[in-house]
């Protein structure tokens, strides 16, 4: 597999050199106007090339250097609904007259590209949420996953401050996929304490596909997919960038990020460096109860929750008339403390601070994620070939003191557990435009994972895992207002898991010379077929109804088959089951949207039936391993999921906008007749935002918002799982721009948990220790854009 993927890299770039000699003479030109005929200085992007331009004040534009073929244009302008238009160039220039519909709803100004056919927001049959860089910067909470929580149906599993992973419709871990530039992020995501190694400042655009997405993206997309897409490539002759600095008061988090990008003669580049440092965070409590003992929280700070992050990324490539190709190299490094009481039994002595709140002591995580990603789009006559190749190296090391784990001094020193995961990925898609009514995609995805481990602890064995999938997806425009799609997928996988024996220690923490087998050799192969179908019915310009039906499957992971050790980040002993079968799901998603110029209402009910659903459940027993807590095991039962999401936005005036996002998830283990563990409670996020009139020269684009999130109690829990009370959180923020030179500086101030509310997050790992979430937090942010060269 390594040789195959490296060969693909070579062949891709060899073919690009031959294509680079082609010359194109065609152009697209036209005018972008409002419904009343007024010219608009809109932005027009050719999706396949990442190329575009801005119309002048009269709305006129021209994009040159195009080959004959099919293209998708994305047209956006603030205050108007986004427009996506499929065009065909033959042997002459194309003249367009584009009309945009006014809209005071911000989200309607964003195009959707996650749809495989790159068409408009109403054509696809799935529910997709889109956010851009402005949203990410406005809602940055220190991690990428936490910034998405304001979308309906999205929540997070947290371990402290710096470790967070997304949850879609009550599912996480290996049931959702996070794709960075077309490559699935592989970072031991089965662990609740394993966050996403993604820099929140390096995210330009996120598209969240909710519901079954296994057909296009792979078997792990049973509940949804989070696509991280790069911004459009810079225009020719431009070199620009920005500096971002922020400070968060709760844990003194200092964030600094610098970016520069440019385009010289169709050679494009982009570089970013990010530094984040944070101290122990504050909670609204001075004591907590653990195992029946009341223990102190000194100075209202959780000891050893400090951390630091370092990230860099570099993208280079070129854009030509035949397509585009980029190569991105990034490295994310994180050192994060784990609350002292998470490993072993906490006591008053080891909970006391040493006076330096920034110390990162034992236990802690040292994580590094290296990625090399190649993205290439090539035009083949009127069709397009997309190739994504990737290599990832994830190193996850947990440092701790041996005696806390019931062992004496070891050759590994303080390295309790190390996991080294290498992943090679090769994906390809051929977009075939048959005619104006039919288009299809033929694609494949393949990956090879090789995992090794070290340290004096054992959790996950060494393994190799091979996956490959082939799919066909077809879209048929039956009528202009009725679009149908359907597809089939074939997947195969094989796990080769190595056995492991662990030394036995006596009461004096000395090795006895005996060994105990923690897992045997396991060889498992899997294969299955999945499919989906759906339609989008555009009743009229205001109403859109969608239905998507899918049957997908997910193979059990090596951790589910073979784990047998203490997962200290989760405070439990986890045991796998080598006999687990593949999951099979049958899912249905509905979506209805009513859209006016100043009103948007959307409701998305869903339901799913799972055969042999795999989950980790508490047994109610304590582990016999030293330093362990409760025993959890992977089980398999039939399950049922249902729920709905509500989205409401209303702008009674140009300056005021109300919004509401609600979600509810219901699930049931059909064998035990109990709920499944770690189910997010129902919640409603309501907000009001006011944009100040442009009356002050030095305070342009000013706004103020107020938000309140009400979270219900979660009393529907699995056996031996704790309930959680409801709570409400108040948040607020304001922002403005100061025109300095040709690039305005952007200031933002926001506050979370302004009332310093004491509450437990049902999905937080520290909830198991009766530790509340962060207290009041004020965030100060300054963004300084700059222009080094313009065309």
């Amino acid at each position: 597999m390594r040789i195959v993927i490296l060969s693909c890299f070579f062949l891709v770039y060899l073919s690009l050199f031959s294509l680079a000699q082609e010359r194109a003479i065609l152009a697209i030109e036209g005018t972008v106007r409002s419904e009343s005929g007024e010219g608009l200085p809109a932005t027009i992007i050719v999706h396949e090339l990442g190329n575009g331009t801005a119309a002048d004040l009269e709305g006129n534009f021209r994009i040159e250097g195009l080959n004959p073929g099919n293209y998708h244009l994305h047209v956006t302008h603030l205050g108007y609904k986004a427009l996506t238009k499929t065009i065909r160039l033959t042997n002459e220039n194309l003249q367009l007259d584009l009309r945009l519909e006014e809209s005071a709803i911000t989200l309607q100004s964003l195009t959707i590209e996650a749809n495989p056919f790159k068409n408009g927001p109403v054509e696809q049959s799935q529910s997709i949420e889109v956010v851009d860089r402005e949203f990410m910067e406005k809602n940055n909470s220190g991690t990428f996953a936490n910034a998405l929580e304001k979308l309906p149906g999205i929540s997070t599993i947290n371990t402290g401050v710096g470790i967070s992973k997304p949850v879609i419709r009550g599912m996480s871990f290996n049931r959702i996929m996070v794709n960075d530039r077309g490559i699935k992020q592989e970072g031991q995501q089965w662990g609740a304490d394993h966050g996403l190694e993604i820099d929140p400042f390096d995210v330009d655009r996120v598209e969240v596909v909710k519901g079954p997405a296994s057909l296009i993206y792979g078997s792990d997309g049973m509940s949804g997919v989070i696509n991280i897409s790069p911004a459009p490539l810079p225009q020719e002759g431009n070199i620009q960038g920005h500096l971002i600095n922020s400070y968060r008061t709760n844990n003194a988090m200092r964030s600094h990020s610098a970016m520069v990008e440019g385009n010289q003669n169709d050679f494009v580049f982009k570089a970013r460096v990010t530094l984040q440092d944070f101290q122990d965070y504050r909670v609204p409590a001075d004591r907590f109860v653990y195992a029946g003992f009341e223990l102190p929280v000194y100075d209202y700070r959780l000891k050893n929750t400090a951390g630091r992050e370092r990230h860099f990324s570099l993208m280079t490539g070129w854009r030509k008339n035949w397509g585009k190709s980029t190569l991105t190299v990034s490295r994310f490094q994180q050192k994060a403390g784990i609350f002292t009481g998470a490993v072993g039994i906490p006591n008053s002595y080891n909970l006391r601070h040493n006076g330096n709140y920034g110390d990162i002591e034992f236990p802690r995580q040292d994580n590094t994620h290296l990625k090399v990603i190649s993205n290439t789009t090539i035009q083949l006559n009127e069709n397009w070939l997309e190739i994504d190749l990737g290599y990832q190296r994830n190193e996850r090391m947990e440092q701790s003191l041996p005696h806390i784990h019931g062992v004496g001094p070891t050759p590994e020193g303080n390295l309790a557990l190390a996991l080294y995961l290498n992943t090679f990925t090769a994906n390809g898609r051929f977009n075939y435009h048959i005619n104006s009514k039919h288009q299809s995609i033929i694609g494949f995805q393949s990956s090879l994972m090789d995992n090794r481990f070290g340290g004096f602890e054992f959790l996950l064995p060494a393994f190799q895992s091979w996956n490959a999938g082939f799919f066909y997806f077809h879209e048929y425009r039956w009528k202009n207002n009725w679009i149908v799609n359907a597809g089939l997928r074939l997947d195969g996988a094989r796990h080769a898991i190595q056995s492991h024996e662990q030394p036995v220690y006596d009461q004096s923490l000395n090795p006895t010379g005996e060994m105990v087998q923690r897992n045997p050799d396991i060889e498992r192969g899997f294969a299955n077929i999945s499919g989906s179908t759906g339609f989008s019915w555009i009743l009229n310009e205001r109403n859109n109804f969608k239905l998507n039906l899918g049957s997908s499957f997910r193979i059990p992971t090596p951790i589910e088959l073979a784990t047998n050790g203490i997962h200290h980040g989760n405070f439990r002993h986890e045991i796998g089951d080598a006999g687990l079968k593949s999951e099979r799901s049958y899912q249905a998603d509905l979506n209805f949207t009513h859209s006016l110029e100043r009103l948007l209402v959307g409701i998305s009910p869903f339901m799913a039936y799972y055969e042999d659903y795999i989950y980790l459940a508490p047994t109610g027993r304590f582990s016999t391993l030293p330093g362990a807590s409760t025993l959890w095991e992977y089980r398999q039962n039939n399950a049922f999921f249902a729920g709905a999401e509500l989205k409401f936005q209303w702008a009674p005036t140009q300056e005021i906008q109300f919004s509401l996002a609600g979600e509810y998830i219901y699930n049931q283990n059909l064998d035990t007749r109990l709920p499944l563990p770690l189910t997010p409670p129902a919640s409603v996020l309501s907000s009001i935002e006011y944009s100040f009139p442009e009356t002050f020269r030095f305070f342009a684009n000013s706004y103020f918002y107020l938000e309140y999130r009400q979270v219900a109690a979660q009393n529907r829990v699995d056996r031996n799982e704790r309930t959680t009370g409801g709570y409400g959180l108040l948040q607020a923020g304001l922002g403005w721009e100061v025109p300095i030179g040709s690039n305005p500086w952007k200031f933002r101030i926001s506050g979370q948990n302004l009332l310093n509310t004491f509450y437990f997050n049902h999905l937080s790992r520290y909830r198991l220790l009766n530790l509340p979430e962060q207290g009041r937090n004020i965030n100060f942010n300054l963004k300084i854009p700059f222009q080094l060269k313009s065309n």
Side-chain angles (χ1 to χ4, degrees), residues 15 101 112 168 219 404 596:
S15 64
E101 181 182 347
I112 292 179
I168 300 178
S219 63
I404 296 178
L596 301 174

Side-chain angles (χ1 to χ4, degrees), residues 343-652:
V343 178
I345 304 299
N347 56 58
S348 297
Y349 173 77
N350 62 21
L351 293 176
R352 186 180 296 275
H353 292 278
N354 62 7
N356 187 345
Y357 298 121
D359 276 358
I360 307 173
E361 305 174 19
F362 297 131
R364 69 177 183 229
Q365 286 188 4
D366 294 330
N367 305 321
T368 302
H369 196 99
L370 172 69
K371 285 185 290 193
V372 182
I373 299 176
S374 166
N375 303 114
T376 302
T377 302
I378 302 173
Q379 187 177 29
L380 301 176
N381 296 323
E382 296 184 351
N383 308 302
W384 294 92
L385 175 65
E386 298 173 319
I387 302 174
D388 300 321
L389 306 174
Y391 166 73
Q392 300 175 71
R393 167 77 173 181
N394 185 268
E395 298 181 358
R396 183 175 300 279
M397 288 174 281
E398 297 182 3
Q399 308 277 353
S400 188
L401 299 173
H403 70 272
I404 296 178
H405 300 256
V407 301
T410 67
E412 294 86 355
N414 294 317
L415 181 60
L417 180 65
L419 299 175
Y420 309 106
L421 178 64
N422 292 289
T423 305
F424 300 85
T425 306
N427 302 331
R429 295 170 302 280
F430 181 66
N431 295 265
Y432 180 53
H433 186 89
I434 302 172
N435 52 46
S436 60
K437 288 184 174 292
H438 293 270
Q439 53 183 334
S440 62
I441 295 178
I442 302 173
F444 77 90
Q445 294 159 326
S446 60
S447 67
L448 171 66
M449 291 187 290
D450 182 88
N451 185 75
R452 296 291 181 265
F453 71 93
F456 58 79
E457 278 282 281
F458 173 77
L459 178 63
L460 176 64
F463 68 85
Q464 279 196 338
S465 180
W466 174 83
N467 295 268
F470 298 87
F471 68 88
Y472 176 80
F473 195 53
H474 191 95
E475 182 180 272
Y476 171 51
R477 187 176 286 269
W478 181 37
K479 297 181 179 179
N480 285 335
N481 68 334
W482 192 283
I483 300 95
V484 182
N485 64 67
L488 286 173
R489 181 184 180 95
L490 173 65
D491 280 280
R494 185 164 191 83
H495 297 319
I497 304 173
Q498 298 179 15
S499 64
H500 176 71
E501 293 185 343
Q502 189 80 359
V504 177
Y505 294 83
D506 59 23
Q507 293 182 350
S508 300
L509 305 184
N510 297 314
T512 64
E514 298 179 4
M515 306 289 285
V516 60
Q517 188 180 72
R518 300 293 287 273
N519 75 279
D521 285 324
I522 301 174
E523 290 273 351
R524 296 288 305 275
F526 304 87
N528 220 315
I529 296 177
S530 55
S532 72
T533 185
F535 67 83
S536 176
W537 180 21
I538 307 170
L539 284 74
N540 49 48
E541 293 181 354
R542 299 178 178 179
N543 299 291
N544 178 217
F545 179 78
K546 304 176 185 180
L547 171 66
N548 194 79
L549 304 173
S551 176
S552 55
F553 90 107
R554 186 182 73 88
I555 64 173
T557 63
I559 189 68
E560 294 166 337
L561 295 171
T563 185
N564 184 5
I566 306 170
H567 200 168
H568 289 288
N570 290 341
F571 327 124
R572 62 199 182 199
H573 179 181
E574 300 177 357
I575 296 181
D577 182 351
L580 293 175
K581 299 180 291 185
S582 295
E583 294 179 354
R584 167 64 69 179
S585 71
Y586 303 91
Q587 298 162 283
D589 275 84
L590 296 173
N591 180 271
F592 176 75
T593 303
H594 178 68
S595 174
L596 301 174
E597 178 183 343
R598 299 188 179 276
L599 178 68
L600 175 68
V601 180
I603 184 169
S604 303
F606 61 90
M607 61 184 299
Y609 169 73
Y610 286 84
E611 291 180 352
D612 300 315
Y613 181 85
I614 301 172
Y615 66 102
L616 190 61
T619 66
R621 307 190 306 272
F622 282 90
S623 170
T624 58
L625 296 179
S629 180
T630 57
L631 187 67
W632 289 53
E633 62 184 13
Y634 282 98
R635 298 174 180 171
Q636 201 159 34
N637 295 110
N638 296 336
F640 175 77
F641 276 76
E645 295 134 15
L646 173 66
K647 180 167 57 178
F648 172 85
Q649 289 183 291
W650 177 45

Side-chain angles (χ1 to χ4, degrees), residues 625-701:
L625 296 179
S629 180
T630 57
L631 187 67
W632 289 53
E633 62 184 13
Y634 282 98
R635 298 174 180 171
Q636 201 159 34
N637 295 110
N638 296 336
F640 175 77
F641 276 76
E645 295 134 15
L646 173 66
K647 180 167 57 178
F648 172 85
Q649 289 183 291
W650 177 45
T653 68
Q654 199 68 30
E655 293 80 20
I656 299 176
Q657 181 167 303
F658 298 93
S659 65
L660 184 145
E663 61 187 59
Y664 173 74
I665 298 166
Y666 173 90
N667 59 40
Q668 186 87 1
N669 185 323
L670 298 179
D671 295 320
T672 66
R673 299 298 174 182
L674 292 170
L676 292 165
L678 296 178
T679 301
S683 68
V684 175
L685 176 66
S686 54
S687 68
I688 179 173
E689 180 170 330
Y690 177 73
S691 299
F692 293 94
E694 300 289 340
T695 55
F696 300 101
R697 179 173 177 268
F698 292 101
F699 294 94
N701 296 321

Side-chain angles (χ1 to χ4, degrees), residues 10 20 99 127 196 222 301 461 475 595 601-602 627 723 729 731:
F10 177 74
R99 298 294 181 107
S127 300
L196 291 175
M222 296 186 83
R301 289 178 181 257
E475 182 180 272
S595 174
V601 180
T723 60
L729 297 177
Q731 304 181 82

